[in-house]
Amino acid sequence: MKKLIAIPLVLLAACASQGKGTADIAIYDLAGANAPSAAVAAAHAGLALELRLPVWLDSTAIIYRLAYADPQRVHQYARARWAGQPSPLLQQRLRQSLAIAPGSAPCTLRVELDEFSQVFDAAASSRAVLRGEVLLLGKGRVAQARMPLRVEHPSASADVAGGVHALAAAADAAAANITGWLQQQDLSVCRPKN
């Protein structure tokens, strides 16, 4: 009789143990941007934000590269995903950092990224890479100014968690670079009419 009771308990324990199902996949987002100052918010009034990422980043996969082995090959973490596609997650973080309200505006700040991934220079060393171009589009969406954008931030750990935190920090550094660049631009035509 004891053997008959023990078998269901063993099966129940096996079902309750951690498996390899979808519940074990870590889900990450890019929340928690630093609040910009009132001066930054006022300076960026009249700007809309548009973000473009390459097609190969059009999924919830968290991408990494092994620069020391095959830098052209992209890999995906098997047990981790973004909470949504990276484009809206990154756009939200940049919008918060730059204090740009959603909606239309006289001018558009377009951020076109070619790279948004974790790059391993060695098995135990990685960094976040955010690379592309920023364009200031005036009325009629005519390019008024452009700036190359390249930000790298070291990962605190050579894993997905370290990579995600480094990508968030790289996004904040990109926002700071963009803010400095915008201070050098003539944004008078972008100011909303009172």
Side-chain angles (χ1 to χ4, degrees), residues 72-113:
Q72 280 74 40
R73 183 175 175 196
V74 294
H75 302 267
Q76 301 177 6
Y77 280 103
R79 310 299 308 160
R81 294 279 179 264
W82 290 115
Q85 293 177 336
S87 182
L89 296 175
L90 182 56
Q91 184 165 349
Q92 179 184 8
R93 188 163 185 117
L94 289 174
R95 183 177 283 129
Q96 290 170 347
S97 297
L98 295 167
I100 295 177
S104 61
C107 296
T108 301
L109 181 68
R110 181 189 295 162
V111 179
E112 298 179 350
L113 294 183

Side-chain angles (χ1 to χ4, degrees), residues 107-182:
C107 296
T108 301
L109 181 68
R110 181 189 295 162
V111 179
E112 298 179 350
L113 294 183
D114 303 320
E115 188 75 31
F116 181 69
S117 62
Q118 182 181 16
V119 177
F120 286 84
D121 296 309
S125 172
S126 70
R127 59 193 157 90
V129 176
L130 190 150
R131 184 184 66 240
E133 184 177 44
V134 181
L135 292 97
L136 177 61
L137 307 176
K139 294 182 180 179
R141 297 183 64 82
V142 174
Q144 303 295 318
R146 63 182 63 229
M147 173 187 79
L149 183 64
R150 182 173 180 94
V151 177
E152 297 186 11
H153 193 277
S155 300
S157 58
D159 56 11
V160 66
V164 168
H165 291 293
L167 285 166
D172 291 342
N177 290 352
I178 292 168
T179 296
W181 175 71
L182 285 172

